[in-house]
Amino acid sequence: MAPTMEDQQMMRGQYRVVVIGSGNWGSVAAKLIASNTIKQPIFYDEVWMWVYEETLHTGEKLSEVINQTNENVKYLPGIKLGNNVIADPDLENAVKEANMLVFVTPHQFVAGICKRLVGKIRPGTEAISLIKGMEVKMEGPFMISKLITDMLGINCCVLMGANIANEIAVEKFSEATVGYRQDKEVAQRWARLFSTPYFLVSIVQDVEGVELCGTLKNVVAIAAGLVDGLDMGNNTKAAIMRIGLREMRAFSKLLFSSVRDSTFFESCGVADLITTCLGGRNRKVSEAFARSGGKRSFDELEAELLQGQKLQNNAIPEPLEQQAIDLAATNCHPPLWYSDRKFIIESRKIRWDWVCPRQKKFMKF
């Protein structure tokens, strides 16, 4: 039965959205969302965006400039976000009325943000993470969506895909994948919030698979950048991407047996891997690292080349590296996680071989 006029009035504006993060991708996410909330009555038209306050070289506050110009002049210059986007440097104030939280900050800041939000969000609130990274603890990898769920006691979906922010900002066609656990209706609502004619969103019941694709492809992109920096050619780079996809799948299944093979053929999988290895920030910085002969640090190159953005999963913590080594021992192929670190330690001495513990011989790829 179709909803009555009274039902429609009750539904109008029932979902209020806040974007937690205002960097390059966060600003693009706010633009996408704002274009939909103003047209779809179930969403409250105003979209709040939490801004980590900065003072610009003009002496002005970033949040004030965003609200005055409708533009994030530091992280997304030249792009209008939408008149219904409101920047707020006060995190608690930004989220107080929201029941849909969009997390899009560097992964290393999520735990601190969630700690500040404990007890401050409305009952029934849903979250989605656009963050391509993970926390690595002594007991093993800890997915960002689970961190949000555990700390705030709310359901958290994920959105990943072949999404270079600046291309989406100028409305070039792109796809993305929403991963969800149980509630398909919630996933469909997230897809509805983000979908536009130039940003096509599909849903998959595989949170861990979608999120791991978005995380692990960043490591493969480091290897792709090293290949570019050493002028090793397109054939080698294609091999890196193929081997990387294979390792992403094997490693994901090692961590979570529930991960689906089909997920790797969604936008979050092979498409994101390709675009990140061709145009991502990790590729860009690792190429510069290789061309410098390892004489310039990743921190130095990050500051110079990324204009305030952060590298994604460029550090390979020992617990994660050990799991990658265990995977290599089981499957007799070299993990790129180890090869990346080996290269970074040895500078230009890149190694493409690995001793397979079971066969006691060198394996080549």
Side-chain angles (χ1 to χ4, degrees):
M1 186 176 69
T4 65
M5 183 66 70
E6 184 178 356
D7 290 336
Q8 291 178 357
Q9 290 298 323
M10 289 179 64
M11 291 172 60
R12 185 173 296 275
Q14 71 179 107
Y15 297 109
R16 292 177 176 247
V17 184
V18 61
V19 177
I20 300 174
S22 58
N24 185 242
W25 185 212
S27 298
V28 173
K31 177 182 185 289
L32 285 167
I33 292 167
S35 71
N36 282 324
T37 59
I38 203 165
K39 294 183 292 189
Q40 300 188 41
I42 67 166
F43 300 114
Y44 188 73
D45 58 352
E46 290 181 341
V47 176
W48 290 74
M49 180 172 72
W50 174 64
V51 175
Y52 180 79
E53 192 66 282
E54 300 178 55
T55 302
L56 302 175
H57 69 278
T58 60
E60 299 171 288
K61 299 293 186 183
L62 178 59
S63 62
E64 294 175 0
V65 174
I66 292 174
N67 287 330
Q68 290 166 6
T69 65
N70 191 228
E71 181 182 330
N72 189 332
V73 295
K74 181 170 183 178
Y75 296 108
L76 195 65
I79 301 296
K80 297 299 181 183
L81 303 182
N83 292 327
N84 53 327
V85 174
I86 300 173
D88 191 340
D90 185 330
L91 178 62
E92 293 179 18
N93 187 66
V95 305
K96 68 180 181 181
E97 297 296 332
N99 53 10
M100 296 183 79
L101 309 183
V102 180
F103 284 85
V104 54
T105 66
H107 70 275
Q108 58 266 39
F109 301 142
V110 177
I113 289 169
C114 287
K115 187 175 181 180
R116 293 170 60 185
L117 292 179
V118 172
K120 305 292 173 53
I121 58 177
R122 295 172 58 184
T125 294
E126 295 280 343
I128 193 167
S129 171
L130 279 60
I131 300 165
K132 296 178 177 180
M134 66 168 72
E135 288 285 313
V136 180
K137 303 183 178 182
M138 290 308 298
E139 59 269 27
F142 207 76
M143 307 313 297
I144 295 298
S145 62
K146 189 175 189 307
L147 180 70
I148 293 168
T149 293
D150 288 356
M151 292 191 71
L152 299 181
I154 59 177
N155 180 51
C156 185
C157 296
V158 296
L159 183 145
M160 307 284 158
N163 304 145
I164 293 179
N166 287 335
E167 294 183 9
I168 301 169
V170 295
E171 303 187 2
K172 293 182 178 180
F173 183 78
S174 182
E175 296 180 304
T177 311
V178 167
Y180 71 98
R181 285 193 171 81
Q182 300 295 333
D183 197 329
K184 186 175 182 179
E185 183 178 344
V186 169
Q188 289 172 331
R189 189 180 307 127
W190 284 118
R192 183 174 174 181
L193 181 68
F194 281 94
S195 293
T196 71
Y198 61 89
F199 193 72
L200 186 63
V201 181
S202 59
I203 65 172
V204 174
Q205 192 174 8
D206 184 7
V207 168
E208 287 79 14
V210 172
E211 193 166 8
L212 278 165
C213 281
T215 298
L216 299 178
K217 56 91 183 182
N218 290 319
V219 182
V220 182
I222 294 174
L226 299 177
V227 167
D228 288 341
L230 294 172
D231 295 317
M232 297 179 75
N234 292 328
N235 293 338
T236 304
K237 192 169 182 179
I240 285 292
M241 288 190 276
R242 185 195 69 79
I243 294 163
L245 183 63
R246 180 185 69 181
E247 291 186 13
M248 284 167 57
R249 174 184 171 277
F251 197 60
S252 296
K253 285 180 168 290
L254 178 69
L255 296 178
F256 299 98
S257 60
S258 61
V259 169
R260 299 180 177 185
D261 286 337
S262 59
T263 299
F264 295 89
F265 296 95
E266 298 288 341
S267 178
C268 63
V270 63
D272 196 8
L273 175 65
I274 292 169
T275 200
T276 306
C277 287
L278 295 178
R281 68 187 79 163
N282 279 25
R283 189 221 63 81
K284 181 177 183 179
V285 173
S286 60
E287 177 186 4
F289 177 85
R291 292 198 184 280
S292 76
K295 295 176 182 178
R296 302 185 66 189
S297 71
F298 271 76
D299 287 342
E300 178 187 356
L301 292 166
E302 176 187 73
E304 177 184 315
L305 298 175
L306 300 188
Q307 299 178 327
Q309 290 184 290
K310 297 296 183 183
L311 286 166
Q312 299 169 304
N313 291 95
N314 60 307
I316 307 167
E318 289 184 6
L320 185 60
E321 180 183 314
Q322 186 56 52
Q323 287 179 294
I325 293 171
D326 292 343
L327 177 65
T330 302
N331 293 279
C332 291
H333 62 76
L336 290 179
W337 295 273
Y338 183 86
S339 298
D340 281 354
R341 180 163 177 163
K342 187 76 172 175
F343 174 85
I344 292 167
I345 291 171
E346 296 186 356
S347 187
R348 294 186 67 86
K349 300 175 185 176
I350 193 160
R351 292 186 52 155
W352 302 113
D353 51 22
W354 180 268
V355 177
C356 175
R358 288 194 298 175
Q359 296 185 15
K360 301 296 182 184
K361 66 180 182 180
F362 282 96
M363 306 295 291
K364 298 285 187 178
F365 64 98

